Amino acid sequence: RLKKRFAMLDIHTIRDLRDADPALIRKKFSVVLQRTVYELRGIDCVPDDVEHKAKEQLIFSRMLGKPTETVDEMEQVISVYAQRAAYRLRKQRSVAKHLQVFASTSAYGSGPFSAPSVAVTLTAPTDDPITLTKAAIAALRPNIEPGLKYNRAGVILTGISPKESHQYLEPFVGQYEHRNLAEAIDRVNRRHGDRAVGLGLAGLKSGPVWQMRRGNLSRRATTHWDELAVVKAG
């Protein structure tokens, strides 16, 4: 869109833009483009040490590739989703005090609509995947109606705070956190690839039929090594 306007100023290449008058660029275009001119000259305009604020709410929710109709299948779904949410929590070095878990059938289907949602307060803020998974399953299980076709589910973590801000006495540390299982899982995944190992179904390479369908997923050429664009010279 800027090509014609650039041409009027005899700017046809990146080098031309670099050598343009910054004051004129700001007047004719914007301060953002003026900063681009300065950046091309090696003058930093945007600091690269911007601190990313930790999220105050973490959600892991997906449409299911195939509706689930049994309580056991929904347990599997929630188990995987709770672990994914716990991983994101650990990634930003936070713990959560509250957990909400939900599921829903299609509002446009032929069957009855159901959308159970349950919120629980954890005994202590945690990032432990076992604790979060057990809490999510226990909360949602009594509210699932067998026979209904649930096609969406999710886990929401709130009451999030930095992990280092909590110091617990030994008797109050979760029984699973003593074993450092979460840290072990993270180390294995960092070394052997994302989701190389997990608890139960969360560690399976070939997931169950209810996993979200991604047959038409675009190639991730800028974030995955095995999907990089390949250029061949003739």
Side-chain angles (χ1 to χ4, degrees), residues 76-96:
Q76 295 173 358
V77 174
I78 295 305
S79 172
V80 173
Y81 288 10
Q83 290 177 65
R84 298 287 186 259
Y87 170 73
R88 294 180 178 179
L89 196 63
R90 296 193 302 276
K91 191 174 181 180
Q92 68 174 36
R93 301 187 59 78
S94 300
V95 290

Side-chain angles (χ1 to χ4, degrees), residues 22-87:
L24 178 63
I25 293 298
R26 176 169 182 168
K27 181 179 179 180
K28 295 289 186 180
F29 298 94
S30 66
V31 67
V32 175
L33 197 55
Q34 182 191 40
R35 290 173 181 169
T36 301
V37 173
Y38 285 131
E39 290 279 355
L40 290 172
R41 296 179 181 182
I43 302 173
D44 292 336
C45 296
V46 180
D48 57 4
D49 58 349
V50 178
E51 294 185 3
H52 295 281
K53 185 178 180 181
K55 294 182 178 180
E56 298 178 356
Q57 175 179 269
L58 286 174
I59 302 175
F60 193 96
S61 175
R62 295 286 188 275
M63 293 291 295
L64 305 183
K66 179 181 180 297
T68 65
E69 300 183 46
T70 68
V71 176
D72 288 342
E73 284 183 330
M74 185 53 68
E75 276 195 12
Q76 295 173 358
V77 174
I78 295 305
S79 172
V80 173
Y81 288 10
Q83 290 177 65
R84 298 287 186 259
Y87 170 73

Side-chain angles (χ1 to χ4, degrees), residues 6-176:
F6 278 154
M8 295 175 63
L9 298 176
D10 200 27
I11 298 176
H12 305 283
T13 66
I14 295 297
R15 181 174 181 175
D16 293 338
L17 181 60
R18 182 200 66 184
D19 296 337
D21 180 8
L24 178 63
I25 293 298
R26 176 169 182 168
K27 181 179 179 180
K28 295 289 186 180
F29 298 94
S30 66
V31 67
V32 175
L33 197 55
Q34 182 191 40
R35 290 173 181 169
T36 301
V37 173
Y38 285 131
E39 290 279 355
L40 290 172
R41 296 179 181 182
I43 302 173
D44 292 336
C45 296
V46 180
D48 57 4
D49 58 349
V50 178
E51 294 185 3
H52 295 281
K53 185 178 180 181
K55 294 182 178 180
E56 298 178 356
Q57 175 179 269
L58 286 174
I59 302 175
F60 193 96
S61 175
R62 295 286 188 275
M63 293 291 295
L64 305 183
K66 179 181 180 297
T68 65
E69 300 183 46
T70 68
V71 176
D72 288 342
E73 284 183 330
M74 185 53 68
E75 276 195 12
Q76 295 173 358
V77 174
I78 295 305
S79 172
V80 173
Y81 288 10
Q83 290 177 65
R84 298 287 186 259
Y87 170 73
R88 294 180 178 179
L89 196 63
R90 296 193 302 276
K91 191 174 181 180
Q92 68 174 36
R93 301 187 59 78
S94 300
V95 290
K97 178 64 175 176
H98 307 288
L99 177 148
Q100 181 181 351
V101 57
F102 65 89
S104 67
T105 60
S106 173
Y108 306 100
S110 57
F113 179 69
S114 175
S117 177
V118 185
V120 296
T121 298
L122 304 169
T123 305
T126 183
D127 63 355
D128 180 65
I130 299 180
T131 301
L132 294 171
T133 299
K134 283 180 172 290
I137 291 176
L140 191 63
R141 184 182 180 92
N143 297 280
I144 295 298
E145 300 180 49
L148 296 186
K149 296 183 178 181
Y150 292 93
N151 68 339
R152 188 177 185 88
V155 173
I156 304 174
L157 301 177
T158 56
I160 295 176
S161 56
K163 186 172 184 177
E164 59 268 18
S165 66
H166 297 273
Q167 298 293 331
Y168 304 110
L169 296 176
E170 190 67 18
F172 299 101
V173 177
Q175 58 174 315
Y176 304 110

